Amino acid sequence: MVKPKLVVVYLSTQGNTKKMADAIAHGAEDRGMEARSVSFYEADMNEIRDADAIALGSSTFWYKMHDAMERFIERMGKELGQTAIEGKVGAAFGSYGWSGEAPVDIARMMRSLGIKVIDPVLRVQYEPNERDLEECKRLGKDIANAVKKTVRPVA
Ligand SMILES: Cc1cc2nc3c(=O)[nH]c(=O)nc-3n(C[C@H](O)[C@H](O)[C@H](O)COP(=O)(O)O)c2cc1C
C-alpha cells in the first residue's frame, strides 16, 4: 500500500527550527506516513506537488519570517498553481526569541494558497526541549490524522 506523504520544509539558522521539523516528520512516520524533513534550498517542487501534506517552518528574524522562506512560498504558489496545492493538509511552525511572527505569517500565506492549515501554529522559544519536541511529534501525528480524514480528488 502506498503511504500518504508529508514534506516538511524548514529555514533554520542555528538548527532550532530544524529540530522541530525533524520531530514533526518523526511524529507523522509514527502514524504511518512517509515523511521527509528538508531544508528549503533542497526542497523539490515535484515532491511537494505529490505530497498529501506540507509543513513549513522558519525562525523569526527582525519580526518576520526569513525573506528566503517568503520567496519559497510564493514560488510554490506560482510553480505548482492553486489546483495542485489546494486541499493539501498543512502546518506552520518555527523557533523564535521574543516576538515569533514567522509561523503565524507562514500559516496565513499557506491558507491564502488554499492549504488546510491545522492548529496549533507551533512556536518554540529558542532551542526546543524534550517537551517541545514531544509537541512537535504530536503535530506530526495530527497531520497524519488530518490526512486520513481528507479525500483529495485524483489529478
Ligand atoms: C539577528 C537576529 C534577529 C532576530 N530577530 C528576532 C525577532 O525579531 N523576533 C523573535 O522572536 N526572535 C528573533 N530572533 C531570535 C531567533 O528567532 C531565535 O534565535 C531562533 O531560535 C533561531 O532559530 P533557528 O536556529 O531555527 O534559526 C533573532 C535572532 C537574530 C540572531
Side-chain angles (χ1 to χ4, degrees):
M1 203 186 84
V2 180
K3 289 181 174 181
K5 174 139 197 188
L6 165 68
V7 183
V8 185
V9 182
Y10 60 82
L11 198 168
S12 181
T13 60
Q14 293 175 310
N16 294 337
T17 303
K18 179 189 188 307
K19 285 182 185 158
M20 296 179 72
D22 293 347
I24 291 167
H26 288 144
E29 280 169 351
D30 287 349
R31 281 284 190 280
M33 289 191 92
E34 184 190 335
R36 208 161 84 85
S37 165
V38 283
S39 165
F40 78 99
Y41 58 81
E42 295 167 333
D44 173 3
M45 285 299 168
N46 291 323
E47 192 181 10
I48 291 175
R49 181 187 285 110
D50 293 343
D52 302 276
I54 323 162
L56 299 179
S58 163
S59 47
T60 300
F61 264 52
W62 308 124
Y63 305 96
K64 56 194 194 69
M65 76 177 92
H66 293 273
D67 288 345
M69 179 52 86
E70 193 169 345
R71 284 197 299 272
F72 177 82
I73 302 171
E74 285 166 359
R75 186 158 75 83
M76 203 172 79
K78 279 193 196 119
E79 286 186 22
L80 301 184
Q82 191 120 353
T83 350
I85 297 176
E86 212 160 30
K88 286 188 198 292
V89 170
F93 63 96
S95 171
Y96 72 104
W98 51 90
S99 58
E101 289 85 350
V104 179
D105 292 347
I106 289 173
R108 197 180 48 242
M109 284 185 82
M110 291 175 88
R111 288 191 176 111
S112 76
L113 291 173
I115 298 168
K116 291 189 286 184
V117 178
I118 64 168
D119 288 323
V121 169
L122 197 55
R123 304 190 302 173
V124 165
Q125 202 168 19
Y126 295 114
E127 186 177 1
N129 60 27
E130 279 308 310
R131 213 170 125 209
D132 297 323
L133 292 174
E134 280 307 312
E135 260 193 78
C136 294
K137 279 179 87 174
R138 177 78 255 164
L139 180 60
K141 288 174 185 173
D142 287 348
I143 292 170
N145 291 339
V147 166
K148 277 181 202 148
K149 288 186 199 145
T150 306
V151 182
R152 299 189 70 228
V154 179

